[in-house]
Amino acid sequence: MKIRIDGGRLLDEQTGELYGANVYYDDVEGRILAIGRDLPSADKTIQLDGQLVLPGFIDMHVHLRDPGFTAKETLASGVQAAAAGGFTEVACMPNTSPATDTAAVVADIVGRSRDIGKAGVHPIACITVGQAGEALTDFAALKTAGAIALSDDGRGVQHGMRMLEAMTAAKTLEMPIVIHSEDETLSGDGVIHPDAARRLDLPGILGESEAAMIARDILLAERTGAHLHVCHVSTEQSVALIRWGKARGVRVTAEVTPHHLLLDESIITHDDAVFKVNPPLQSERDRLACLAGFLDGTLDIIATDHAPHTEAEKSLGIARAPFGMVGIETVFPLLYTYLVVPGIVSLPHLVWGMTRRPADAFGLPGGSLRAGAVADIAIVDIVQERAIEPAAFYSRGRNTPFAGWQVTGWTTHTIRRGKLIYQQGEERLA
Ligand SMILES: NC(=O)N[C@@H](CC(=O)O)C(=O)O
Ligand SMILES: [Zn+2]
């Protein structure tokens, strides 16, 4: 079928200006045929009224929890939540059970997510067996099965020589090494930023635990030539180190989360584990440094670190609850409302950070709307405004610190390879 999206507004990919145009695509080929005002007639039309027609969003850091932790999230609930957030592609982290450390687990995730038919899923497989930080996994076999990168996310690889071996092997296969930077000899048993920890009489996490490992791994990326991607950057020192690495010509890319762009540790005034995340909410100065880093391109992409947990787990209090926040259904509305509307970040800069830049950094299709490109599209409504309501999430995780925040920029339709994978108000998958 030929389908046309009429009456929307697109971003000019050169100038970043919004302009009115229609989009014409084929749902079998899954490609955009033409963009413009005078297009051939279609079998079906999606009629809009000025909504934004954007490239489908790409999230390089989500936890889908399947296999193993399906009370937190399942593949089905995760990819439906992703589609509801406007995402056409997500990369999922390997801290599953069993860990995503064999070709069989990678192939299972790829196959089942394809059958569900919502957002596309790209597994990031473990660097070390069982994420234990010891023996390396079989990178070549993981790549053949469909892994797009390697990470022990959830934990840092503590042993420097092990990381050097991993980068050397990853370089020969051209697989990115994606790092959760945390020197555990510095973070210890900390749970939140030291200032918040002092107020609540809890153990703190030193910011240096992140920056120290980033420094080590930039040096190892320089030595090996591997592509290093730094997850969830949260401190001023980390941003400075990545800026330094880029200036030296090291192949380093980095991501920043919506919570590290919008929140700081001062929000933690009482013992509520909804604010517990790793790396922790940092100081206001760190938050502003992350924002500046995103604006100048040091932090290339926005990633949510969508980390669902059950209500029972999150009700254990900050000392005992697991780290993590959900984010995939609310990232665009939050960043649009609180960064674009007040003029802090431009709309194209936000959109490229969620589309073109992750596609370029990881060699994924999508990220651009033009004739010949894949028909991966997010349609968002910047008039409709409502409060974030966790009970309405498609995700099983309800653990967001943004409940009740009033936002606009909700996704109304998500299209992947020409197929409608989300329409606002649709039923939850079983
Ligand atoms: N970010 C988190 O606080 N939690 C993540 C792990 C991670 O991304 O480090 C999780 O898996 O729950
Ligand atoms: Zn992590």
Side-chain angles (χ1 to χ4, degrees):
M1 254 192 340
K2 305 277 192 283
I3 304 175
R4 232 173 52 199
I5 302 171
D6 282 2
R9 288 182 295 158
L10 281 70
L11 280 172
D12 182 298
E13 297 193 356
Q14 260 72 53
T15 65
E17 297 293 320
L18 279 175
Y19 68 105
N22 305 330
V23 180
Y24 186 62
Y25 62 91
D26 184 307
D27 73 347
V28 177
E29 270 182 68
R31 292 203 173 263
I32 295 173
L33 303 172
I35 293 176
R37 287 178 191 277
D38 285 312
L39 298 175
S41 65
D43 303 300
K44 209 184 123 194
T45 303
I46 298 176
Q47 183 63 51
L48 303 180
D49 182 21
Q51 286 90 335
L52 306 185
V53 179
L54 305 174
F57 302 147
I58 299 173
D59 192 345
M60 295 312 302
H61 193 143
V62 304
H63 295 274
L64 295 178
R65 308 298 193 202
D66 190 349
F69 302 109
T70 50
K72 299 175 195 270
E73 193 80 286
T74 64
L75 265 183
S77 63
V79 294
Q80 187 175 29
F87 288 88
T88 48
E89 308 298 320
V90 299
C92 62
M93 289 298 176
N95 56 345
T96 49
S97 180
T100 310
D101 62 0
T102 61
V105 179
V106 171
D108 170 62
I109 294 169
V110 170
R112 282 193 293 133
S113 58
R114 187 179 296 143
D115 292 345
I116 297 163
K118 294 281 184 182
V121 176
H122 304 274
I124 295 179
C126 297
I127 297 171
T128 67
V129 174
Q131 299 191 289
E134 304 289 339
L136 298 186
T137 56
D138 183 344
F139 294 178
L142 294 165
K143 181 175 183 175
T144 305
I148 58 154
L150 299 157
S151 181
D152 272 358
D153 185 54
R155 288 194 65 190
V157 175
Q158 302 301 308
H159 195 290
M161 197 58 86
R162 196 76 65 250
M163 184 52 100
L164 177 60
E165 289 161 18
M167 283 197 203
T168 304
K171 162 70 184 156
T172 64
L173 293 162
E174 279 305 315
M175 291 179 87
I177 291 277
V178 173
I179 55 165
H180 170 112
S181 318
E182 178 181 353
D183 179 332
E184 292 171 7
T185 65
L186 288 169
S187 61
D189 58 0
V191 287
I192 45 177
H193 184 275
D195 291 350
R198 212 167 296 120
R199 289 195 297 274
L200 273 72
D201 198 21
L202 290 165
I205 301 179
L206 293 183
E208 288 83 350
S209 64
E210 173 179 277
M213 194 172 278
I214 292 175
R216 180 197 75 181
D217 288 350
I218 289 173
L219 297 174
L220 297 180
E222 176 163 23
R223 171 174 286 277
T224 57
H227 172 194
L228 173 69
H229 178 76
V230 185
C231 291
H232 42 52
V233 175
S234 70
T235 74
E236 190 210 339
Q237 292 163 316
S238 300
V239 175
L241 287 164
I242 294 162
R243 193 175 284 124
W244 174 82
K246 286 187 164 177
R248 279 176 80 81
V250 179
R251 272 174 85 191
V252 54
T253 56
E255 68 192 33
V256 63
T257 68
H259 45 277
H260 291 116
L261 288 174
L262 296 178
L263 303 177
D264 65 65
E265 58 78 25
S266 68
I267 199 171
I268 310 176
T269 55
H270 59 289
D271 186 351
D272 185 345
V274 80
F275 299 115
K276 181 176 180 180
V277 66
N278 196 10
L281 301 178
Q282 310 281 16
S283 69
E284 172 69 356
R285 180 188 170 108
D286 290 317
R287 183 183 77 83
L288 293 173
C290 289
L291 187 57
F294 177 58
L295 284 169
D296 74 12
T298 302
L299 307 184
D300 307 77
I301 71 175
I302 304 283
T304 64
D305 190 8
H306 176 77
H309 293 292
T310 64
E311 275 169 41
E313 291 166 314
K314 276 296 191 182
S315 66
L316 292 171
I318 292 179
R320 291 169 59 216
F323 291 96
M325 303 174 167
V326 293
I328 204 155
E329 292 176 71
T330 54
V331 54
F332 187 82
L334 279 165
L335 297 181
Y336 179 78
T337 306
Y338 292 97
L339 295 181
V340 175
V341 172
I344 298 165
V345 173
S346 73
L347 176 66
H349 194 78
L350 172 61
V351 170
W352 307 151
M354 294 178 62
T355 58
R356 181 198 291 175
R357 276 189 259 114
D360 287 351
F362 287 86
L364 296 175
S368 167
L369 297 185
R370 57 187 155 70
V374 287
D376 288 5
I377 301 167
I379 301 177
V380 306
D381 183 338
I382 53 171
V383 175
Q384 190 188 141
E385 192 176 303
R386 69 187 146 83
I388 291 173
E389 196 192 329
F393 288 165
Y394 290 90
S395 172
R396 291 198 170 182
R398 303 286 145 89
N399 47 305
T400 173
F402 297 107
W405 286 41
Q406 196 69 26
V407 292
T408 183
W410 295 98
T411 299
T412 62
H413 306 72
T414 309
I415 294 148
R416 179 173 190 269
R417 308 298 137 86
K419 303 272 189 308
L420 188 67
I421 60 165
Y422 172 72
Q423 185 158 16
Q424 193 169 42
E426 74 182 21
E427 299 280 309
R428 276 195 192 83
L429 294 174

